[in-house]
């Protein structure tokens, strides 16, 4: 039972290794072709060009215009504003607001549910 998955795994590893080898051979071949082409191009360039070709001079970019400086904090004018009136503290919510309202209708509903559950429990208990 363990033989078939092991064979499949080994075949997959062998396939990946073969792909690696083939791509390496292709890379080496492309590098050789490019190297040979550059060797062939060099003599042609020397024969054709009679003048020296120098690379273009690098030009420095023009300096940016000077930015205006911000005034120091000591030189900035100070604004005097009138003090704001203090806010009244917010009233604390009443503790009855936290829990749901137990209206008489809701109490009747809960009592009916409890009696129904009790009846069902008594019916299950009486089967013994």
């Amino acid at each position: 039972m363990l033989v078939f998955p092991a064979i499949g795994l080994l075949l997959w590893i062998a396939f990946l290794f073969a792909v690696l080898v083939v791509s390496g051979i292709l890379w080496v071949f492309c590098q050789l072709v490019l190297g040979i082409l550059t060797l062939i191009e060099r003599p042609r360039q020397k024969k054709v060009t009679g003048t020296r070709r120098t690379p273009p001079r690098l030009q420095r970019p023009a300096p940016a215009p000077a930015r205006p400086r911000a005034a120091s904090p000591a030189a900035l004018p100070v604004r005097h504003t009138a003090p704001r009136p203090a806010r009244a503290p917010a009233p604390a919510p009443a503790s009855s607001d936290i829990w749901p309202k137990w209206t008489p209708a809701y109490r009747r509903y809960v009592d009916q549910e409890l009696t129904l559950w009790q009846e069902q429990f008594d019916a299950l208990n009486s089967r013994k």
Side-chain angles (χ1 to χ4, degrees):
M1 292 292 186
L2 187 65
V3 174
F4 291 115
I7 291 173
L9 181 65
L10 287 175
L11 285 174
W12 179 245
I13 292 172
F15 171 75
L16 290 177
F17 185 72
V19 168
L20 178 72
V21 169
V22 169
S23 61
I25 290 171
L26 186 64
W27 182 81
V28 168
F29 177 73
C30 289
Q31 293 297 318
L32 285 174
V33 168
L34 286 175
I36 291 171
L37 287 177
T38 56
L39 288 177
I40 292 173
E41 284 294 316
R42 282 185 187 163
R44 284 186 189 170
Q45 287 178 354
K46 286 183 182 178
K47 290 178 184 176
V48 172
T49 58
T51 61
R52 278 184 138 178
R53 192 164 179 211
T54 59
R57 291 185 179 179
L58 295 178
Q59 295 179 356
R60 293 186 181 179
R67 294 183 185 174
R69 289 187 176 183
S72 65
L76 292 177
V78 178
R79 279 195 254 164
H80 296 286
T81 58
R84 294 183 183 173
R87 286 187 186 178
S95 62
S96 64
D97 290 341
I98 297 173
W99 301 105
K101 304 289 185 190
W102 285 79
T103 61
Y106 186 71
R107 286 186 182 154
R108 280 192 304 271
Y109 167 74
V110 170
D111 288 339
Q112 288 174 356
E113 287 291 319
L114 288 176
T115 56
L116 180 64
W117 291 347
Q118 187 65 45
E119 288 173 3
Q120 290 175 351
F121 180 72
D122 291 340
L124 287 174
N125 202 12
S126 66
R127 287 186 181 176
K128 291 184 181 177

